[in-house]
Amino acid sequence: NKKTLIPTQKGTALIAAIHGNLKDAAMTASWEQQLADMSDGKLPLTKFETEIATFVRRLLPLVTRSAASLPPATQTGIA
């Protein structure tokens, strides 16, 4: 079946290494609400950008450390 994706070892390790907040549906919902609030003029873009930038600055060192433990890519993962 050409529409099936098979995760590689690196892909599986990456998913496991992703910070929990990025896999949290509540965070996604919060961002979606903030985007809707911006669209409605209830939230300034600069506030949203500042909060996202702060989040990324806190998260990036954790992700960088986790990436060092990922195995090398060995296949495309597409069946």
Side-chain angles (χ1 to χ4, degrees):
N1 182 350
K2 293 187 179 196
K3 294 183 181 186
T4 301
L5 295 176
I6 301 169
T8 62
Q9 180 184 9
K10 187 172 187 172
T12 301
L14 180 60
I15 290 167
I18 290 175
H19 191 274
N21 284 350
L22 293 175
K23 297 186 274 188
D24 184 10
M27 174 168 277
T28 302
S30 172
W31 287 351
E32 290 293 334
Q33 183 59 55
Q34 290 178 60
L35 292 171
D37 289 347
M38 281 190 295
S39 180
D40 294 340
K42 297 176 186 175
L43 177 71
L45 172 63
T46 54
K47 180 168 174 39
F48 180 75
E49 288 177 329
T50 300
E51 289 177 4
I52 294 293
T54 300
F55 173 75
V56 170
R57 280 189 207 97
R58 283 194 322 251
L59 189 62
L60 194 56
L62 301 172
V63 172
T64 302
R65 285 193 297 271
S66 295
S69 65
L70 293 176
T74 57
Q75 62 184 21
T76 64
I78 299 173

